[in-house]
C-alpha cells in the first residue's frame, strides 16, 4: 500500500510539472535571439561539438554552461572524467533500474513515468543535463547484443512506454535522449552497415516509437544511430532528420550524434545534426577542435561556403533546451540519488516485469513450508549492473537471485548452492559441475536453475563482451556454457525444477522446455531483482509481466533471418521481411513461437466477457468485463488486436492497438474501455505515400496474449 501511494504521488507531481506554458517558450525564444546576437562565430561553433567525453561547449562570458550528458537508459553511468579518465573518489553509485526489456514487460506506462522520474532526479543530483536514454530500437532479431536495453518488437507497445519514460525524466527538468534514430537493430558492423527497408516498414514498424517520443513525449533530445539508412549516415540523413524528424514531426530540440557517428562536416551541417559527440580523434589530451563540427565549420562559414544561419539554427536548439531545463536561468529543484524511494521503483518495475512463462501442476508459487531448495547456476550469484557496455551502472547494491531467496526464507528453509556452469569464453558442459548440481537437486524438495544469457565473460572488461552486450551480437540462440545439459540433468534428478532465465530473451529451450514444469523470464531486473524474483516465486507478488517480444523456438524461424538479411554490409542490409517483424510474422506465416508476444501467466485466472464495439466518429470504443476468477489478487494486461478481414495489401494476422493493465481482487470484476483512434485501422499505402483506411470489416480480438484470444467481435468501417 505504502509503495502504491508513493508511486501515485510521483505521477501527480509529474503531471503538474510537465506543463510548460506557451508564454514561457515565447519568452525563451526572445532571449535566445538576444544571446545569439552577442555571440561570435567561434563561440557558436564551440557549442555544437563535444569538448570532453560527455560535455559540449559553453560560453562562459555569456553565462552559457556546458551541456553535460550521461548514459544511460537504466541508471546514471559511473563517472568517466572529462577525457575518458575515470574519476576516482566521486560518489557515483546509485539506483540501478531493471533494463528496458523489464520495463516494457510491465506493460504499465505509469511505471515508465516513475522510472524516468528516478533517472531524471538522479541525473540532476549528479550534475547531468541530459540522460542518454531511452533506447527504443525495434527488436528485429534475438541476436542483437543490445536488445536488453531496448523495449519491444512492437511499435505500439514501445510508443506507449516511451512517452511515460520521457515525460518522467523531463518532469525533473532534465532532458531525455531517445536513441538510436534509427534502424540500429544489430551491433554487427553497426558503424558501417547500410539499412534498406520499404517506406511501409519504416512508417509502420520502425518510426512510431520515435514519433511518439517527439510528438507526444516532447523529448528534448534525440541521438542519431551509427548505421547508414538508404546510403546516408543516420545522424546526417536528410530524409530522416530534416524531412521527417524536424519537418513532419516539428522537432524543436537537439539532434545529437551517437559517439563518433558523424563522418562528414557538410552533410552534418546541411542535414540537421545539431551536436557532434564522441568522435575518435586519437589519444589524450584530445584536440576537440578537430571534430567535424569544430574549426572546419568556422573556416567554411568565414569563406562563405556555409551560411551562418545554419549554425544559428543548431545553437538556437541547444539554447532552447538549456532554457527549458533551467540551465541558464531559473533554478533547478534538487535531485536525489540512490534513495529508498528510487529503489522501491526499481523493485516495483522488476515485480511487474518478470514474466511467468510456464507453470504446470501449480509448482509455483512455492509454499513457505518448503524445507529445502537447491539453487543452481552461476547466474544465481552473478551481478549485472556493470555489464553490457555504455549502459553500465555502479549500483548502491545488487541483490542477486541467490541472496534474494536467502533473505526471503531466512533460516526456515535450507538453501544449497551449486555453480552448475562456468561463465567463461568457450566454456562447455562441465560433467563434474552438472553431477554436483543434479545431486543437490535430488536431495532438495525444489530445484531452481538460474541461467540464460550474460553480459560478457568478464563484464567489467569491454574486450570480453559477449551475448547481451554493446558492440557485439550473439553468435546464435543456443544456451551457452552447457546449460542445456545441466537443465536436463537437474530436471531428471528433481521434477520440481524451476528454470529462471536472465537476459534479453530469445534463447533456445527446445531440449528441456516440455520436461520442465515452471519457467520464469527474469531479464536483468535491476538492483532489487533478486528480491523481486524471490517474492514472485513465493507468491508474495502475483506475476503480471507479459512478453514484449515473441520468444521463437529457434533462430531459423525468425523473420529477419529467414526472409531478410543479417548481418549485411555497407552496401546493403535489406529488411526483406518488411512489416512482418515478431508476432506479425509468426502469426501470419503460422510459425509457432516457443512463447508468444504478450504471453505471461498469473497465479490467478481472469475471465473475459461482454465485449462490445461502437463507432464514435472516426474512433471505435471497445468495452469488456474482466473478472478475477481465482483466489489471489492480481493484475491482467488486457490486449486488443486489430485484424483487417479482407485487406487490399498483405497485412499482419493481427496488430496490437490497445492495452490496459487492470488490478483485481479475488472475485472482483471491472469494466475495461479501450479507444481505437482512426489510425488504429490504417496501413501505410506506398503509392499514396500516406496512412490510409481501406474500408471494410475489421476484427477486434481481445485476449491475454497474442495467441490467447478470449473474445472477438467485428466492425465495418
Ligand atoms: C552508444 C550510445 C551511448 C554512447 C555514449 C555509444 O557507443 O551507442 O548508446 O549513449 O556511446 O556512451
Amino acid at each position: 500500500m505504502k509503495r502504491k501511494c508513493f508511486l501515485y504521488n510521483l505521477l501527480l507531481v509529474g503531471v503538474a510539472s510537465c506543463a510548460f506554458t506557451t508564454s514561457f517558450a515565447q519568452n525563451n525564444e526572445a532571449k535566445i535571439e538576444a544571446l545569439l546576437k552577442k555571440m561570435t562565430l567561434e563561440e557558436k561553433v564551440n557549442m555544437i561539438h563535444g569538448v570532453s567525453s560527455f560535455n559540449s561547449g559553453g560560453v562562459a562570458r555569456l553565462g552559457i554552461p556546458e551541456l553535460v550528458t550521461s548514459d544511460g537508459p537504466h541508471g546514471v553511468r559511473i563517472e568517466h572524467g572529462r577525457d575518458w579518465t575515470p574519476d576516482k573518489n566521486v560518489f557515483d553509485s546509485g539506483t540501478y533500474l531493471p533494463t528496458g526489456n523489464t520495463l516494457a514487460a510491465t506493460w504499465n506506462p505509469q511505471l515508465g513515468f516513475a522510472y524516468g522520474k528516478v533517472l531524471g532526479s538522479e541525473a540532476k543530483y549528479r550534475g547531468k543535463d541530459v540522460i542518454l536514454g531511452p533506447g527504443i530500437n525495434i527488436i528485429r532479431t534475438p541476436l542483437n547484443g543490445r536488445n536488453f536495453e531496448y523495449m519491444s518488437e512492437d511499435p505500439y507497445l514501445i510508443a506507449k512506454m516511451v512517452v511515460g519514460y520521457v515525460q518522467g525524466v523531463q518532469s525533473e527538468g532534465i532532458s531525455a535522449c531517445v536513441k538510436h534514430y534509427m534502424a540500429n537493430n544489430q551491433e554487427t558492423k553497426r558503424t558501417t552497415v547500410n539499412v534498406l527497408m520499404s517506406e511501409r516498414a519504416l512508417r509502420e514498424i520502425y518510426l512510431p516509437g520515435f514519433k511518439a517520443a517527439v510528438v507526444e513525449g516532447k523529448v528534448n533530445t534525440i541521438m542519431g544511430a551509427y548505421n547508414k539508412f538508404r546510403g546516408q549516415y543516420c545522424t546526417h540523413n536528410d530524409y530522416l532528420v530534416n524531412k521527417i524528424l524536424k519537418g513532419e514531426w516539428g522537432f524543436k530540440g537537439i539532434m545529437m550524434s551517437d559517439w563518433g557517428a558523424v563522418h562528414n562536416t557538410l552533410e552534418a551541417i546541411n542535414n540537421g545534426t545539431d551536436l557532434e559527440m564522441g568522435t575518435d580523434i586519437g589519444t589524450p589530451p584530445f584536440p576537440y577542435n578537430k571534430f567535424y563540427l569544430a574549426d572546419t565549420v568556422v573556416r567554411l562559414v568565414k569563406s562563405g561556403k556555409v551560411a551562418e544561419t545554419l549554425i544559428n539554427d543548431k545553437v538556437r536548439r541547444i539554447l532552447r533546451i538549456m532554457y527549458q531545463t533551467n540551465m541558464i536561468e531559473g533554478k533547478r529543484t534538487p535531485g536525489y540519488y540512490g534513495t529508498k524511494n528510487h529503489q522501491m521503483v526499481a523493485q516495483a518495475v522488476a515485480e511487474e516485469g518478470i514474466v511467468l512463462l510456464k507453470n504446470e501442476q501449480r509448482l509455483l508459487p512455492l509454499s513457505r513450508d518448503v524445507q529445502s531448495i537447491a539453487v543452481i547456476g552461476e547466474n544465481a550469484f552473478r551481478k549485472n549492473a556493470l555489464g553490457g557496455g555504455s549502459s553500465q551502472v555502479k549500483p548502491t547494491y545488487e541483490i542477486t537471485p541467490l541472496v534474494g531467496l536467502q533473505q526471503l526464507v531466512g533460516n526456515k528453509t535450507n538453501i544449497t548452492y551449486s555453480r552448475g556452469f562456468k561463465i567463461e569464453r568457450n566454456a562447455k558442459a562441465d560433467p563434474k559441475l552438472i553431477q554436483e548440481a543434479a545431486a543437490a537437486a535430488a536431495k532438495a524438495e525444489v530445484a531452481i536453475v538460474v541461467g540464460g544469457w550474460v553480459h560478457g565473460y568478464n563484464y567489467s572488461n569491454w574486450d570480453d563482451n559477449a551475448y547481451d552486450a554493446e558492440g557485439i551480437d550473439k553468435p546464435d540462440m543456443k544456451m551457452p556454457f552447457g546449460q542445456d545439459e545441466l537443465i536436463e540433468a537437474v530436471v531428471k534428478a528433481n521434477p520440481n525444477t524451476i528454470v529462471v532465465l536472465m537476459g534479453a530473451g530469445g534463447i533456445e529451450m527446445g531440449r528441456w522446455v516440455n520436461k520442465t514444469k515452471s519457467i520464469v523470464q527474469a531479464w536483468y531486473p535491476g538492483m532489487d531483482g533478486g528480491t523481486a524474483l524471490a517474492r514472485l516465486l513465493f507468491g508474495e507478488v502475483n506475476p503480471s509481466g507479459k512478453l514484449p517480444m515473441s520468444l521463437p523456438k529457434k533462430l531459423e524461424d525468425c523473420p529477419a533471418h529467414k526472409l531478410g538479411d543479417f548481418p549485411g554490409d555497407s552496401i546493403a542490409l535489406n529488411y526483406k521481411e518488411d512489416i512482418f517483424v515478431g508476432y506479425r510474422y509468426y502469426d501470419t506465416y503460422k510459425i509457432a513461437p516457443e512463447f508468444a508476444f504478450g504471453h505471461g501467466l498469473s497465479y490467478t485466472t481472469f475471465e473475459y466477457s461482454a465485449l462490445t464495439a461502437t463507432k464514435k466518429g472516426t474512433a471505435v470504443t471497445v468495452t469488456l468485463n474482466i473478472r478475477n476468477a481465482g483466489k489471489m489478487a492480481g493484475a491482467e494486461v488486457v490486449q486488443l488486436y486489430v485484424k483487417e478481414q479482407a485487406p487490399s495489401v498483405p497485412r499482419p494476422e493481427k496488430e496490437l492497438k490497445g492495452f490496459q493493465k487492470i488490478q483485481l481482487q479475488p472475485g472482483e470484476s471491472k469494466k475495461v474501455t479501450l479507444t481505437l483512434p482512426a489510425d488504429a485501422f490504417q496501413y501505410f499505402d506506398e503509392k499514396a505515400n500516406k496512412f490510409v483506411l481501406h474500408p471494410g470489416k475489421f476484427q477486434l480480438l481481445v485476449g491475454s496474449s497474442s495467441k490467447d484470444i478470449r473474445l472477438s467481435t467485428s466492425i465495418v468501417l
Side-chain angles (χ1 to χ4, degrees):
M1 186 59 196
K2 223 166 149 197
R3 170 174 305 138
K4 290 249 164 64
C5 289
F6 161 68
L7 291 174
Y8 183 70
N9 284 341
L10 268 183
L11 301 180
L12 287 184
V13 175
V15 170
S17 58
C18 256
F20 280 113
T21 60
T22 328
S23 67
F24 174 72
Q26 279 163 354
N27 269 340
N28 289 347
E29 294 303 314
K31 289 177 194 161
I32 291 166
E33 294 314 313
L35 260 185
L36 267 172
K37 288 207 179 82
K38 293 186 195 148
M39 291 169 76
T40 65
L41 174 63
E42 285 77 2
E43 285 170 337
K44 291 177 191 170
V45 171
N46 193 47
M47 288 186 66
I48 63 170
H49 66 84
V51 296
S52 79
S53 40
F54 284 94
N55 299 5
S56 63
V59 185
R61 99 181 155 89
L62 295 174
I64 303 172
E66 292 184 356
L67 183 78
V68 184
T69 71
S70 172
D71 289 298
H74 44 260
V76 187
R77 191 176 179 177
I78 53 178
E79 284 306 325
H80 274 284
R82 280 195 78 85
D83 293 317
W84 294 106
T85 2
D87 282 347
K88 299 260 163 30
N89 307 320
V90 284
F91 178 37
D92 60 355
S93 40
T95 302
Y96 162 44
L97 291 153
T99 60
N101 300 152
T102 328
L103 177 62
T106 68
W107 293 57
N108 183 345
Q110 292 180 334
L111 265 187
F113 184 92
Y115 184 109
K117 202 164 162 55
V118 169
L119 278 168
S121 176
E122 301 221 343
K124 195 162 43 175
Y125 178 92
R126 289 269 304 275
K128 314 295 181 190
D129 306 307
V130 182
I131 194 87
L132 301 172
I136 62 160
N137 293 93
I138 287 279
I139 297 183
R140 172 182 182 248
T141 159
L143 299 192
N144 183 2
R146 287 185 92 171
N147 278 348
F148 74 98
E149 289 182 58
Y150 300 150
M151 290 185 175
S152 177
E153 66 187 25
D154 182 78
Y156 182 83
L157 178 59
I158 295 176
K160 291 293 155 203
M161 296 307 298
V162 76
V163 171
Y165 180 130
V166 165
Q167 290 183 342
V169 173
Q170 297 191 173
S171 72
E172 286 291 321
I174 295 296
S175 297
C177 178
V178 67
K179 67 189 188 184
H180 308 88
Y181 185 67
M182 65 126 245
N184 181 186
N185 308 99
Q186 66 185 47
E187 291 297 282
T188 310
K189 304 179 181 168
R190 65 173 173 169
T191 57
T192 52
V193 82
N194 179 27
V195 176
L196 305 178
M197 68 173 79
S198 71
E199 191 64 17
R200 186 173 172 206
L202 177 71
R203 299 287 176 165
E204 289 188 20
I205 307 291
Y206 293 90
L207 287 184
F210 290 101
K211 184 177 178 185
V214 171
V215 177
E216 288 171 58
K218 307 261 182 288
V219 71
N220 286 347
T221 81
I222 186 161
M223 185 190 289
Y226 280 123
N227 49 289
K228 294 178 201 152
F229 177 76
R230 296 184 186 158
Q232 198 168 47
Y233 279 105
C234 287
T235 303
H236 31 85
N237 188 296
D238 181 52
Y239 187 55
L240 293 177
V241 183
N242 282 341
K243 303 283 185 315
I244 296 178
L245 175 69
K246 295 184 174 177
E248 290 178 30
W249 303 343
F251 178 66
K252 297 270 183 292
I254 305 167
M255 164 72 188
M256 73 172 81
S257 72
D258 199 342
W259 268 232
V262 171
H263 298 268
N264 182 302
T265 302
L266 277 178
E267 266 191 16
I269 290 178
N270 290 318
N271 296 352
T273 320
D274 300 314
L275 175 57
E276 176 193 9
M277 296 300 292
T279 303
D280 185 0
I281 39 164
T283 47
F286 295 115
Y288 290 101
N289 59 328
K290 296 271 185 314
F291 270 33
Y292 291 94
L293 294 186
D295 288 358
T296 314
V297 177
V298 174
R299 269 198 309 277
L300 287 169
V301 174
K302 287 199 168 150
S303 63
K305 295 202 175 86
V306 162
E308 192 164 341
T309 49
L310 284 169
I311 313 306
N312 289 345
D313 177 63
K314 300 178 197 308
V315 175
R316 198 175 276 131
R317 286 166 181 275
I318 296 170
L319 290 172
R320 184 175 294 137
I321 297 310
M322 287 184 161
Y323 275 108
Q324 270 178 26
T325 57
N326 295 326
M327 286 178 63
I328 296 184
E329 279 178 5
K331 201 168 173 294
R332 281 193 170 155
T333 52
Y336 298 94
Y337 195 50
T339 63
K340 185 73 200 146
N341 284 350
H342 291 180
Q343 289 151 18
M344 277 161 67
V345 174
Q347 189 176 327
V349 172
E351 288 178 355
E352 284 202 31
I354 294 175
V355 181
L356 179 60
L357 294 176
K358 184 175 177 189
N359 193 23
E360 279 180 358
Q361 296 166 29
R362 294 183 180 261
L363 175 55
L364 291 173
L366 296 173
S367 149
R368 290 303 284 266
D369 296 331
V370 166
Q371 296 295 304
S372 54
I373 303 177
V375 176
I376 295 161
E378 191 161 330
N379 275 4
F381 74 85
R382 190 175 173 82
K383 294 185 176 172
N384 291 300
L386 277 166
S390 61
S391 64
Q392 58 172 205
V393 182
K394 199 197 282 178
T396 325
Y397 60 81
E398 182 174 348
I399 305 292
T400 61
L402 180 60
V403 170
L405 284 163
Q406 285 166 334
Q407 286 183 348
L408 190 130
V409 300
N411 296 330
K412 255 192 101 199
T413 308
N414 178 34
I415 295 188
T416 61
Y417 174 72
S418 347
R419 192 173 177 192
F421 60 91
K422 275 189 225 150
I423 297 174
E424 278 173 17
R425 198 179 287 276
N426 301 324
K428 300 257 172 336
D430 182 329
K432 195 165 159 275
L433 290 181
I434 293 179
Q435 212 181 8
E436 278 168 16
K443 278 195 227 128
E445 233 177 292
V446 173
I448 303 176
V449 181
V450 189
W453 298 118
V454 296
H455 281 318
Y457 312 112
N458 166 10
Y459 55 54
S460 52
N461 176 358
W462 191 284
D463 295 336
D464 251 353
N465 270 357
Y467 305 108
D468 286 328
E470 183 175 341
I472 193 158
D473 291 324
K474 293 167 194 137
D476 52 44
M477 261 180 61
K478 305 226 183 290
M479 286 199 108
F481 319 123
Q483 293 180 68
D484 281 325
E485 289 85 344
L486 171 74
I487 297 172
E488 280 176 328
V490 172
V491 171
K492 205 164 154 203
N494 187 337
N496 289 333
T497 294
I498 299 144
V499 174
V500 177
L501 297 167
M502 312 291 289
I507 199 160
E508 266 190 36
M509 307 180 209
R511 280 178 58 174
W512 45 266
V513 67
N514 292 330
K515 300 176 207 153
T516 309
K517 286 187 197 166
S518 296
I519 307 174
V520 174
Q521 177 65 54
W523 319 110
Y524 294 111
M527 66 196 302
D528 262 310
T531 316
L533 178 68
R535 280 164 55 79
L536 277 149
L537 295 180
F538 277 90
E540 289 198 357
V541 170
N542 193 350
S544 65
K546 299 278 186 178
L547 287 176
M549 80 286 276
S550 318
L551 299 183
K553 284 186 197 289
K554 51 186 194 307
L555 190 63
E556 301 80 71
D557 289 346
C558 302
H561 298 266
K562 202 160 172 178
L563 307 178
D565 286 349
F566 178 91
D569 56 29
S570 61
I571 313 289
L573 162 59
N574 208 327
Y575 287 16
K576 284 182 233 148
E577 72 281 9
D578 205 51
I579 56 162
F580 294 100
V581 176
Y583 68 93
R584 283 169 168 74
Y585 170 77
Y586 298 113
D587 281 358
T588 313
Y589 287 73
K590 311 273 181 269
I591 309 281
E594 201 67 85
F595 293 102
F597 174 81
H599 170 74
L601 302 173
S602 164
Y603 296 144
T604 187
T605 49
F606 299 99
E607 281 173 7
Y608 289 64
S609 64
L611 180 64
T612 70
T614 31
K615 264 190 279 185
K616 283 196 185 133
T618 54
V620 171
T621 303
V622 174
T623 66
L624 66 135
N625 284 340
I626 174 124
R627 176 170 171 272
N628 181 346
K631 294 198 174 61
M632 196 175 183
E636 171 70 321
V637 178
V638 174
Q639 301 165 39
L640 171 58
Y641 296 85
V642 171
K643 174 191 174 146
E644 187 175 347
Q645 186 86 18
S648 55
V649 295
R651 290 196 71 173
E653 179 67 19
K654 60 173 91 73
E655 293 178 76
L656 181 73
K657 294 295 175 185
F659 66 84
Q660 208 170 307
K661 192 163 195 172
I662 314 285
Q663 303 278 345
L664 291 164
Q665 293 303 315
E668 191 186 5
S669 291
K670 274 187 188 159
K671 182 176 174 183
V672 180
T673 304
L674 298 160
T675 305
L676 294 171
D679 64 10
F681 302 93
Q682 297 172 343
Y683 70 96
F684 190 83
D685 181 337
E686 297 212 317
K687 279 201 207 95
N689 200 30
K690 60 177 188 196
F691 279 92
V692 297
L693 176 81
H694 175 236
K697 198 172 187 181
F698 291 84
Q699 285 183 19
L700 304 169
L701 312 165
V702 174
S704 179
S705 85
S706 61
K707 266 268 161 323
D708 185 7
I709 299 300
R710 305 283 181 86
L711 300 170
S712 69
T713 183
S714 62
I715 197 138
V716 175
L717 296 174

